[in-house]
Amino acid sequence: MNMHEQFNFAIEVLGTISFSMSGSFAAMQKRLDPFGVLIIAFVTSVGGGTVRDLLLDIPVFWMHDLLTCALIILTSIFTMVFKSFEKNFRVTLFIFDSFGLGLFTIIGVQKGLHADIHPLICIGLGTITGCFGGIIRDILLNRIPLIFRKEIYATACIVGGSAFLLLTKFTTLSYTIIQIFTILLIVSIRTLAVKYHWQIPKFYGYENNSEM
Amino acid sequence: MNMHEQFNFAIEVLGTISFSMSGSFAAMQKRLDPFGVLIIAFVTSVGGGTVRDLLLDIPVFWMHDLLTCALIILTSIFTMVFKSFEKNFRVTLFIFDSFGLGLFTIIGVQKGLHADIHPLICIGLGTITGCFGGIIRDILLNRIPLIFRKEIYATACIVGGSAFLLLTKFTTLSYTIIQIFTILLIVSIRTLAVKYHWQIPKFYGYENNSEM
Amino acid sequence: MNMHEQFNFAIEVLGTISFSMSGSFAAMQKRLDPFGVLIIAFVTSVGGGTVRDLLLDIPVFWMHDLLTCALIILTSIFTMVFKSFEKNFRVTLFIFDSFGLGLFTIIGVQKGLHADIHPLICIGLGTITGCFGGIIRDILLNRIPLIFRKEIYATACIVGGSAFLLLTKFTTLSYTIIQIFTILLIVSIRTLAVKYHWQIPKFYGYENNSEM
């Protein structure tokens, strides 16, 4: 593997680990037993990429990738065993999760471009790759889906994906530089949004909350 | 495009617009921010067709169709900007949504027949195409899924799809005529069902509501 | 068909019937109308196998299999008409459902191995085949997903799938014998778990139930 592949590989591993941890924590909070925790950790890690691969009609990435599966299982067991450290973990987890979101989003955009999908649609694919794992996790755990509690989550993917496309098209920066920059951009947007309670202004003042 | 293709194209555009509007309204009612609204509008519009294409293992229709994506984004923005008109819109929206349901159902049946699927299964594909977008929207928004509140929704698809198959098989009417008729049939069934609170009689008197 | 195929065919039919019945009962409890019941029965029966086939990128099994669809429809109608017998049915239903779970799990593992998927991942495919139908049913009916109420459900699939792999690899027992044994193993685990309220010990004492 050249340096660029090693870079991708390293952060993909970190992303998988972090999503697996966030899934495990969420499942343990809902009192699932160890096997239930394992399943939720798995769905959270591979959900987004699976939907992306199905939409692109390319082989689902984890079907022939034992490493991903092993990583998820080991991380999930590790999380259950050491969960007592959770308080110390929480910040680390948030950082890992944000990096996972950033990397998975960019990977999604790249896979879309590689399959000759129009850039605008690739931004959607990146967002799906980054967000759907968490959405499926929340639906299975009967929680209000993520997208619905911290919308900045999806917004960060859309902004980061757009930045990635613009920089690759209009600048001569090296691919790896652009990747690092856009991943950090997504991480920063999300971190700052959570830290300072950012909200996208709702320019429509919808008061009627009755079901249509 | 010949006249028949133009006819399909025109109503497909109307259907996409209407589902995008209904998704946007539902998301705004749940106080999602603009990006969240956009995502829900997108899912509502393409959800049914996406599941259908995955089941048929044909390319997912919107992956190479920028027009659909652009239409959804513009409609969603338009809906957010002009939502103050919503009250005036509500009837128009209902009509559009019903037409979308009708057209998408028939398109689903047609795509199934075209892929040599047995007619009985094609009715299912038509129903999926018409209904799943709304079901996914409701699951993401944590609402009681549509299929569960106004069952006539799915029933209209099943009846319309069956009528389409019977008319194409046993009559000599032109394809476009049959299309128009079955679409109008679905629209009428749904409209009358909502207007007169039609219900399919539950011939089983299930009283025990405890979880199994 | 040779004897082994007939054996598979017979239990697959039983599994389809049983999942169709459990779906119909759940939908009737939620007061869906007949068409709604039919749709839920269908989703419960084919949901798991559909996700499995999409992941393996092989043709979705029921798209060209009218028998499955007819079986589901007839079973669902039968269940609605004769639901008054439900009390007498409940035990039969539980047994059928457990056998369906066992057979579908083993079929999932087999299809995975047949597609050259790593055994560890095949266990996951088996679990998905056995469990996802019920999960989707519960999500559509807005119930707390199965996996979350009786975790032994998924656990039984994982144990049974693992036993199937170990026995085929390390013993010389005939394929059919191993199949029958592992199916009975899954059925027994689930039955005993429900009868004696087995729980996998949660070795992590998670008390904080707040959303992250």
Side-chain angles (χ1 to χ4, degrees):
Chain A
M1 290 199 298
N2 63 37
M3 182 242 142
H4 175 254
E5 288 166 351
Q6 288 172 344
F7 171 77
N8 264 359
F9 179 75
I11 316 194
E12 186 155 18
V13 167
L14 283 180
T16 305
I17 290 175
S18 67
F19 277 141
S20 174
M21 290 178 81
S22 86
S24 304
F25 279 127
M28 287 190 290
Q29 285 180 317
K30 287 286 194 175
R31 303 264 193 292
L32 266 61
D33 73 8
F35 283 103
V37 172
L38 209 59
I39 290 168
I40 297 294
F42 196 81
V43 170
T44 310
S45 291
V46 306
T50 303
V51 174
R52 175 203 63 215
D53 292 345
L54 290 176
L55 290 175
L56 288 173
D57 198 13
I58 60 181
V60 176
F61 72 102
W62 54 274
M63 292 302 290
H64 297 88
D65 175 5
L66 197 56
L67 175 68
T68 304
C69 300
L71 255 180
I72 296 170
I73 294 171
L74 293 175
T75 309
S76 184
I77 293 170
F78 174 87
T79 312
M80 287 189 265
V81 173
F82 291 100
K83 74 143 280 302
S84 46
F85 296 148
E86 187 232 349
K87 264 132 215 73
N88 338 3
F89 268 25
R90 190 160 274 176
V91 175
T92 332
L93 174 65
F94 177 80
I95 294 167
F96 270 45
D97 188 53
S98 306
F99 269 95
L101 183 73
L103 189 275
F104 280 17
T105 303
I106 300 307
I107 287 182
V109 176
Q110 289 171 328
K111 287 210 176 191
L113 291 170
H114 193 268
D116 281 332
I117 305 296
H118 186 285
L120 184 66
I121 299 177
C122 291
I123 296 175
L125 279 173
T127 309
I128 287 170
T129 313
C131 299
F132 264 50
I135 291 175
I136 300 172
R137 173 198 66 209
D138 294 340
I139 290 173
L140 288 180
L141 290 180
N142 224 28
R143 290 159 36 139
I144 303 170
L146 190 89
I147 193 181
F148 181 28
R149 285 177 289 133
K150 29 179 137 92
E151 300 89 352
I152 286 290
Y153 206 86
T155 309
C157 302
I158 295 172
V159 174
S162 313
F164 179 84
L165 289 170
L166 294 172
L167 290 172
T168 43
K169 193 168 173 57
F170 299 116
T171 72
T172 59
L173 295 168
S174 92
Y175 206 69
T176 311
I177 301 288
I178 296 178
Q179 258 183 327
I180 298 175
F181 173 76
T182 46
I183 292 166
L184 291 177
L185 178 64
I186 295 173
V187 174
S188 323
I189 292 176
R190 195 185 162 205
T191 315
L192 295 170
V194 170
K195 195 166 189 329
Y196 298 108
H197 308 291
W198 280 354
Q199 293 250 334
I200 309 283
K202 300 185 185 56
F203 51 79
Y204 44 83
Y206 214 111
E207 291 320 315
N208 161 21
N209 206 354
S210 66
E211 299 297 298
M212 282 171 81
Chain B
M1 291 200 296
N2 62 36
M3 182 244 143
H4 175 253
E5 288 167 351
Q6 288 172 342
F7 170 77
N8 265 357
F9 179 76
I11 315 194
E12 187 154 18
V13 167
L14 283 179
T16 305
I17 291 175
S18 66
F19 278 140
S20 174
M21 290 177 81
S22 85
S24 305
F25 279 127
M28 288 190 289
Q29 285 179 317
K30 287 285 194 175
R31 304 265 193 290
L32 265 61
D33 73 7
F35 283 102
V37 172
L38 209 58
I39 290 167
I40 297 294
F42 196 81
V43 169
T44 311
S45 292
V46 305
T50 303
V51 174
R52 174 202 62 214
D53 292 346
L54 290 176
L55 291 175
L56 289 174
D57 197 13
I58 60 180
V60 174
F61 73 102
W62 55 273
M63 292 302 289
H64 297 88
D65 175 5
L66 197 57
L67 176 67
T68 304
C69 300
L71 253 180
I72 295 171
I73 294 171
L74 293 176
T75 308
S76 184
I77 293 171
F78 174 87
T79 312
M80 288 188 264
V81 173
F82 290 100
K83 75 143 279 305
S84 46
F85 296 147
E86 186 231 350
K87 263 132 217 74
N88 338 4
F89 269 26
R90 190 160 274 176
V91 176
T92 332
L93 174 66
F94 177 80
I95 294 167
F96 270 46
D97 188 53
S98 307
F99 268 95
L101 183 72
L103 189 274
F104 279 18
T105 303
I106 299 307
I107 287 183
V109 176
Q110 289 171 327
K111 288 209 176 192
L113 292 171
H114 193 268
D116 281 332
I117 305 296
H118 185 285
L120 184 66
I121 300 177
C122 291
I123 296 175
L125 279 174
T127 308
I128 287 170
T129 314
C131 298
F132 264 50
I135 291 174
I136 299 172
R137 173 197 67 207
D138 293 341
I139 290 173
L140 288 181
L141 290 180
N142 225 28
R143 289 158 38 138
I144 303 169
L146 190 89
I147 193 181
F148 182 29
R149 285 177 289 132
K150 28 178 137 92
E151 300 89 352
I152 286 290
Y153 206 86
T155 309
C157 301
I158 295 172
V159 174
S162 314
F164 179 84
L165 289 170
L166 294 173
L167 290 173
T168 42
K169 193 168 174 56
F170 298 116
T171 71
T172 60
L173 294 167
S174 93
Y175 206 70
T176 311
I177 302 288
I178 296 179
Q179 260 183 325
I180 297 176
F181 173 76
T182 46
I183 292 166
L184 291 177
L185 178 64
I186 295 174
V187 174
S188 323
I189 292 175
R190 194 185 163 205
T191 314
L192 294 170
V194 170
K195 193 167 191 325
Y196 298 108
H197 308 289
W198 280 353
Q199 293 248 335
I200 309 281
K202 299 185 186 53
F203 50 80
Y204 44 82
Y206 215 111
E207 290 320 315
N208 161 20
N209 205 356
S210 67
E211 299 297 300
M212 283 172 80
Chain C
M1 291 198 297
N2 61 37
M3 182 243 144
H4 174 253
E5 288 167 351
Q6 287 172 343
F7 170 77
N8 264 357
F9 179 76
I11 316 194
E12 186 155 18
V13 166
L14 284 179
T16 306
I17 290 175
S18 66
F19 278 140
S20 174
M21 290 178 80
S22 85
S24 304
F25 279 126
M28 287 190 290
Q29 285 180 317
K30 287 286 194 175
R31 305 263 194 292
L32 266 60
D33 73 7
F35 283 103
V37 172
L38 209 59
I39 290 167
I40 298 293
F42 196 82
V43 170
T44 311
S45 292
V46 305
T50 303
V51 174
R52 174 203 63 215
D53 292 345
L54 290 175
L55 291 174
L56 289 173
D57 197 13
I58 59 180
V60 175
F61 71 103
W62 54 275
M63 292 303 289
H64 297 88
D65 175 5
L66 196 56
L67 176 67
T68 305
C69 300
L71 254 180
I72 296 170
I73 294 172
L74 293 176
T75 309
S76 184
I77 293 171
F78 173 88
T79 312
M80 288 189 265
V81 173
F82 291 100
K83 74 144 278 304
S84 47
F85 297 147
E86 188 232 349
K87 263 130 216 74
N88 337 5
F89 268 25
R90 189 160 275 177
V91 175
T92 333
L93 175 65
F94 177 80
I95 294 167
F96 270 47
D97 189 52
S98 305
F99 268 96
L101 183 72
L103 189 274
F104 279 18
T105 302
I106 299 307
I107 287 182
V109 176
Q110 289 171 328
K111 287 209 176 192
L113 291 170
H114 193 268
D116 282 332
I117 304 295
H118 186 285
L120 184 66
I121 299 178
C122 291
I123 297 175
L125 279 174
T127 309
I128 288 170
T129 314
C131 298
F132 264 50
I135 291 174
I136 299 171
R137 173 198 67 207
D138 293 340
I139 290 173
L140 288 181
L141 291 180
N142 225 29
R143 289 158 38 137
I144 303 170
L146 190 88
I147 192 180
F148 182 28
R149 285 178 288 133
K150 29 179 137 89
E151 301 87 353
I152 287 290
Y153 205 88
T155 309
C157 302
I158 295 173
V159 174
S162 313
F164 179 85
L165 289 170
L166 294 173
L167 290 172
T168 42
K169 194 168 174 56
F170 297 116
T171 71
T172 61
L173 295 167
S174 93
Y175 207 69
T176 311
I177 302 288
I178 296 178
Q179 258 183 326
I180 296 175
F181 172 77
T182 46
I183 292 166
L184 291 176
L185 179 65
I186 295 173
V187 174
S188 322
I189 292 175
R190 195 186 162 204
T191 314
L192 295 170
V194 170
K195 196 166 187 330
Y196 298 108
H197 308 290
W198 281 354
Q199 294 250 332
I200 310 281
K202 298 185 188 54
F203 52 79
Y204 43 84
Y206 216 112
E207 290 321 315
N208 160 20
N209 206 356
S210 67
E211 299 296 300
M212 285 170 79

